[in-house]
Amino acid sequence: PVVSLSNGVRQIMICQTLHKNGHLNGMIAGSISFDLFAKELQTLQEQAQETFGTNVKFLIVNDQGNIVYHWDDNMLVHVKEENGSKISVTSSISDLPSNFVEYAQKMVSREKDFGVVGYTLDNTKELFSFAPIDGTYMTMGIFVDRDPMFAQIRSQLGFAAIWLVFVTLIVTV
């Protein structure tokens, strides 16, 4: 992620080196609006919310440990003035809570088959997992609010227990 220092627009740069016969011949690059990228993530959040019945939050990091996307706008790439000059500032995993850095490092190393762990985020019990995004140098993590998801499971277990008692009473009478 970068910010144009001339107009302040956030962008995601997409670059690819060009090789021919084992020699570097150049590079092709382009950019997409960060807003377009964020809109796609918002669509994913809505789909995940429908699927899990609870709020979800995404975290995307690259293999350099930079935060590409975070639900907190303060963690996103932004322009800062320093010594009279504008500079682009990108947050890194070292800016995340210290009790999360271990997971963030695993994201950066693009660990596969991570599984799911419990994590407390903003005083809310969450389930967290991540996976590398194929064809990129990025890894996406997802936080899912645990309690609403488990409330539905507990409700269904309670209903099943009542049915079991009811059937047992009918069979034994």
Side-chain angles (χ1 to χ4, degrees):
V2 297
V3 176
S4 169
L5 297 179
S6 61
N7 62 16
V9 173
R10 292 179 183 159
Q11 305 169 58
I12 300 287
M13 298 301 297
I14 302 166
C15 307
Q16 180 65 49
T17 54
L18 303 174
H19 295 270
K20 185 174 182 182
N21 300 326
H23 292 93
L24 178 63
N25 283 349
M27 177 183 287
I28 187 166
S31 68
I32 61 168
S33 162
F34 192 86
D35 292 341
L36 179 63
F37 180 71
K39 185 177 178 183
E40 289 300 316
L41 285 174
Q42 183 178 7
T43 300
L44 283 176
Q45 279 181 306
E46 291 166 1
Q47 291 172 349
Q49 188 165 8
E50 288 174 20
T51 302
F52 298 119
T54 184
N55 290 327
V56 298
K57 294 179 180 170
F58 292 113
L59 171 66
I60 300 176
V61 299
N62 65 18
D63 65 347
Q64 299 297 307
N66 297 319
I67 295 174
V68 176
Y69 181 82
H70 192 283
W71 61 90
D72 180 353
D73 197 53
N74 294 319
M75 297 293 283
L76 298 176
V77 63
H78 58 278
V79 174
K80 174 178 155 183
E81 192 156 324
E82 192 173 280
N83 298 327
S85 298
K86 290 181 181 180
I87 59 169
S88 178
V89 178
T90 303
S91 297
S92 74
I93 62 169
S94 64
D95 299 318
L96 296 170
S98 60
N99 64 347
F100 186 76
V101 171
E102 175 188 347
Y103 300 132
Q105 289 170 337
K106 290 180 180 195
M107 290 177 73
V108 169
S109 68
R110 301 177 56 79
E111 184 175 304
K112 294 183 188 267
D113 304 320
F114 173 72
V116 177
V117 297
Y119 182 76
T120 301
L121 178 69
D122 301 328
N123 297 319
T124 302
K125 292 179 181 176
E126 306 271 343
L127 296 175
F128 172 73
S129 189
F130 68 84
I133 302 170
D134 290 337
T136 72
Y137 296 106
M138 297 182 280
T139 300
M140 176 183 273
I142 183 172
F143 294 88
V144 180
D145 189 348
R146 188 186 86 145
D147 290 340
M149 191 165 57
F150 285 145
Q152 187 176 24
I153 293 169
R154 282 191 291 275
S155 170
Q156 290 175 353
L157 286 175
F159 181 72
I162 291 169
W163 258 112
L164 182 60
V165 169
F166 180 70
V167 169
T168 303
L169 286 173
I170 289 176
V171 169
T172 57
V173 172

